[in-house]
Amino acid sequence: MFSYCADPETLEGLAWLSCYLTTGKHLAFYQAFGTVLLLLAVTAPAALAFGFAGAVAARSRIAPLSWLGKGYIAVVRGVPDIAFFLFFVIALDQGIEWLRHKALCPDWDQPIRQGNDFVVCSAAKMPLGNAAQWVHDLYGFWLAVVTFAIVFGAFAANVLYGAMRAVPRAQLETAEAYGMAPRQVFRRILVPQMWVYALPGLSNTWMVLLKATPLLFLLGIQDIVYWARDLGGSKTPQFTDYPHGDWRVYYFGALLVFYLLCTKLSGIALDRLEGRIGHVDARIARAERRAGARQADAMGPQ
Amino acid sequence: MSCWDTVADYAFRSIGYGERLLPRSDFTLCQQVTLIGSGMIWNLYFGLVALLSGFCLATALAVGKASRNPLWRKPSEAVIFVFRGSPLFIQVFFAYFLFLSLKGAYPGLGALTSAWAGAALVLFLNTAAYSAEIFYGALRAVPPGESEAADAYGLTGWTKFRRVTWPVLLRLAWPSYTNEAIFLFHATTLVFFSGFPALQQRGDALYYASYFADKTFNPFVPYPILAGYFILLTLAIIAVMGRVNARLNRHLPQAQRRGRPKLLTQILR
């Protein structure tokens, strides 16, 4: 990157390090941190959407829908998340190819599962065999986002389901007394009020999501864990201009520090948010206490 | 080959007994159920070792974090922050490479590079940090009345802690601690997917499940089997912890005993 990096063998000390840390592979490594942050930025709202859908389904009066929602929450919480990551990547990929196969190649007569192979017609391949590399990368990233959203959606669903049940019943009854339809009660009273109760659980889910991002590595994406293993492994002079021993412990040490910084910053931000919303919460609690005291007065001395 | 033969061959494959070679083609359902079940031995081992040893360290860390003396408080806070603030996945990777370089300097520490010792150590420290945060929260929630009553009876120091503070702390913390136990067992599946190698293909349940998924290119059989095992394990943990909870609260009237595990503190990794 720098002009003096032309002949690394003559370099010493800091100059060597500055050249070493700006090789093309290292720049890809730094870019991978951006991938992690991008994944978080896309996944968090997606997981929230899945969570909202799951919570609404679990509350539904229609029994099968409610079973579906509750089952979704229970299964994802009952099984190790890493198993889901390994499962969904293949399952989603095969599911999409199967659907495309059914739609695009209706006159294909051979079975799709042939022993240990999964065969679809070439037009149904996803992405297409002749697609550019970036299409493959994008598709892999998209699969990762959907997988993360499904798994963390279940955690968010659990939190939101609890929060919806925590909204005081009297609030909803008042809305009903004003003649609101169930749909209006849900949209105007329940949803705006539940966030106060959901926030601690949601910030918890955010921390969990943040700490699950290294699992991208298992989904076959060239993320920070991939590069740390690749760059840290010992290099001989035959293959690189910058030979060094096994430095993986330092690379993973750096990743550890990166995650500690992320959780520390998130912790500070979430504490502030909870502090601000906490005021509202305290006001509600005070109002409820006053209402309770009035009720006790009305009932007279016991 | 009948299913019983398969069970005899592979039931203890994960710890090195029975048939050496894994099945390579014509995978039967029986083989998958047996081998994935065999892998569960590792998950149980890691989980039990970490949970039982972590419980002791967690109590010490929680008391340390609540201490007024900074010499106790600062180190406890640091351990809890490092292990709760970073992903377990990265911790296991980091620990494995650290143990590798330590092995070069001190050959006596070579055992730490194998999963049974090294990964168990990381999981032990990790669960200790998470449990310590739960216990610390419970410690601060111990009603002052209990403490004052202990003072009135003339209990001090260790006796007061053992007879009054600690039992109340456990009672308060138990529902969250049940959750921590469940997620610790889930976390044991990370071991063979991070640095630690599965020597001679002796891996845990997820290792065998992904082996079958890779070979058959069909995730719809091995992963549901794995899920089934873990749901059974989760139910077993809830049952055992529920018995302990009932014993902790045996002096209370029946109606107040119910404490269902809640997802309150941050317990996932």
Side-chain angles (χ1 to χ4, degrees):
Chain A
M1 183 159 177
F2 303 111
S3 55
Y4 55 85
C5 293
D7 188 11
E9 280 175 38
T10 59
L11 293 170
E12 286 285 330
L14 275 181
W16 185 88
L17 197 65
S18 68
C19 290
Y20 172 70
L21 289 179
T22 49
T23 56
K25 275 193 171 183
H26 273 91
L27 295 181
F29 176 49
Y30 306 140
Q31 233 168 30
F33 285 96
T35 312
V36 168
L37 297 179
L38 181 68
L39 177 90
L40 279 172
V42 179
T43 310
L48 203 56
F50 269 83
F52 196 78
V56 171
R59 276 176 56 88
S60 165
R61 293 224 184 94
I62 308 162
L65 203 60
S66 154
W67 294 334
L68 189 73
K70 285 180 180 155
Y72 169 55
I73 297 173
V75 168
V76 181
R77 286 195 57 210
V79 178
D81 47 358
I82 172 174
F84 273 96
F85 287 110
L86 295 174
F87 170 75
F88 273 122
V89 168
I90 316 181
L92 281 176
D93 197 34
Q94 289 188 353
I96 291 167
E97 289 198 342
W98 183 80
L99 284 178
R100 280 170 60 92
H101 178 85
K102 288 281 168 206
L104 296 174
C105 314
D107 36 295
W108 186 274
D109 52 355
Q110 286 164 0
I112 292 181
R113 285 206 183 282
Q114 299 177 0
N116 291 340
D117 287 320
F118 183 84
V119 184
V120 292
C121 62
S122 59
K125 283 262 188 285
M126 190 74 188
L128 292 173
N130 55 2
Q133 180 59 36
W134 68 267
V135 177
H136 283 269
D137 288 347
L138 193 70
Y139 181 67
F141 184 77
W142 183 82
L143 276 185
V145 167
V146 174
T147 308
F148 269 83
I150 291 174
V151 173
F152 288 95
F155 288 97
N158 188 38
V159 170
L160 293 179
Y161 181 63
M164 285 179 187
R165 295 211 302 183
V167 173
R169 185 77 201 116
Q171 296 278 345
L172 308 181
E173 276 168 8
T174 312
E176 278 160 15
Y178 272 97
M180 288 191 192
R183 192 176 291 259
Q184 283 175 315
V185 175
F186 177 77
R187 210 179 55 231
R188 295 199 191 158
I189 309 293
L190 186 67
V191 173
Q193 288 200 15
M194 78 176 181
W195 297 112
V196 176
Y197 303 97
L199 193 68
L202 286 182
S203 44
N204 181 12
T205 310
W206 163 260
M207 290 294 204
V208 178
L209 175 65
L210 184 64
K211 288 189 284 174
T213 47
L215 297 180
L216 270 180
F217 169 68
L218 296 176
L219 308 187
I221 291 178
Q222 298 195 346
D223 76 328
I224 47 182
V225 178
Y226 170 87
W227 284 114
R229 271 163 61 104
D230 187 71
L231 291 165
S234 51
K235 302 274 189 318
T236 53
Q238 283 164 307
F239 297 106
T240 170
D241 294 333
Y242 302 92
H244 60 76
D246 189 350
W247 283 2
R248 284 179 295 190
V249 62
Y250 305 116
Y251 278 90
F252 278 98
L255 293 192
L256 212 59
V257 172
F258 167 71
Y259 276 107
L260 286 177
L261 274 177
C262 283
T263 46
K264 187 83 196 168
L265 289 177
S266 304
I268 293 171
L270 289 171
D271 274 353
R272 278 210 187 144
L273 192 65
E274 267 172 47
R276 280 176 65 168
I277 295 190
H279 286 305
V280 181
D281 205 18
R283 268 210 312 276
I284 295 174
R286 263 204 307 280
E288 271 168 13
R289 259 204 311 280
R290 270 204 302 277
R294 262 203 305 280
Q295 231 164 34
D297 284 349
M299 277 190 282
Q302 306 237 319
Chain B
M1 200 160 91
S2 80
C3 189
W4 283 116
D5 294 334
T6 311
V7 172
D9 282 348
Y10 287 121
F12 296 101
R13 172 67 180 72
S14 65
I15 48 174
Y17 295 103
E19 190 67 38
R20 255 184 71 81
L21 291 175
L22 289 182
R24 297 197 172 273
S25 56
D26 306 326
F27 303 95
T28 61
L29 190 65
C30 180
Q31 282 173 338
Q32 304 200 15
V33 172
T34 310
L35 262 174
I36 294 172
S38 163
M40 288 299 287
I41 297 172
W42 275 110
N43 298 101
L44 282 175
Y45 162 78
F46 285 130
L48 287 176
V49 166
L51 198 66
L52 295 178
S53 54
F55 181 80
C56 306
L57 181 62
T59 311
L61 284 175
V63 174
K65 189 171 175 179
S67 160
R68 281 203 207 102
N69 185 350
L71 276 179
W72 289 107
R73 194 178 66 238
K74 293 285 172 195
S76 310
E77 280 177 351
V79 171
I80 294 176
F81 171 65
V82 167
F83 281 94
R84 289 183 79 234
S86 60
L88 178 65
F89 195 54
I90 301 286
Q91 287 165 23
V92 180
F93 262 119
F94 177 74
Y96 177 65
F97 295 126
L98 184 71
F99 295 151
L100 266 190
S101 39
L102 281 180
K103 189 184 180 184
Y106 313 96
L109 293 175
L112 285 176
T113 54
S114 47
W116 68 267
L121 179 66
V122 179
L123 284 167
F124 152 65
L125 289 170
N126 188 279
T127 188
Y130 279 90
S131 314
E133 188 65 26
I134 295 173
F135 290 167
Y136 169 71
L139 190 61
R140 292 207 312 176
V142 170
E146 305 260 353
S147 180
E148 283 160 16
D151 289 338
Y153 273 100
L155 297 176
T156 48
W158 173 245
T159 323
K160 179 182 164 189
F161 179 76
R162 197 176 62 85
R163 296 260 184 92
V164 179
T165 317
W166 193 56
V168 177
L169 178 159
L170 281 187
R171 234 166 265 148
L172 292 173
W174 209 255
S176 306
Y177 190 63
T178 304
N179 254 326
E180 160 59 21
I182 293 169
F183 288 114
L184 170 68
F185 276 93
H186 289 187
T188 57
T189 50
L190 278 172
V191 170
F192 290 108
F193 279 85
S194 45
F196 288 96
L199 294 175
Q200 296 169 347
Q201 296 183 311
R202 295 176 198 166
D204 75 332
L206 186 63
Y207 176 85
Y208 288 121
S210 81
Y211 173 83
F212 285 118
D214 280 352
K215 292 285 176 202
T216 59
F217 206 55
N218 180 1
F220 297 98
V221 178
Y223 289 120
I225 295 174
L226 178 82
Y229 275 119
F230 265 95
I231 287 170
L232 285 181
L233 180 64
T234 305
L235 292 177
I237 295 168
I238 290 176
V240 171
M241 298 299 254
R243 291 289 287 276
V244 177
N245 194 41
R247 173 144 182 92
L248 283 172
N249 291 310
R250 64 191 181 281
H251 60 290
L252 293 178
Q254 203 73 35
Q256 291 177 30
R257 280 194 197 170
R258 306 185 62 193
R260 280 164 52 86
K262 283 172 283 189
L263 197 74
L264 279 180
T265 37
Q266 187 195 338
I267 40 195
L268 276 164
R269 282 126 181 110

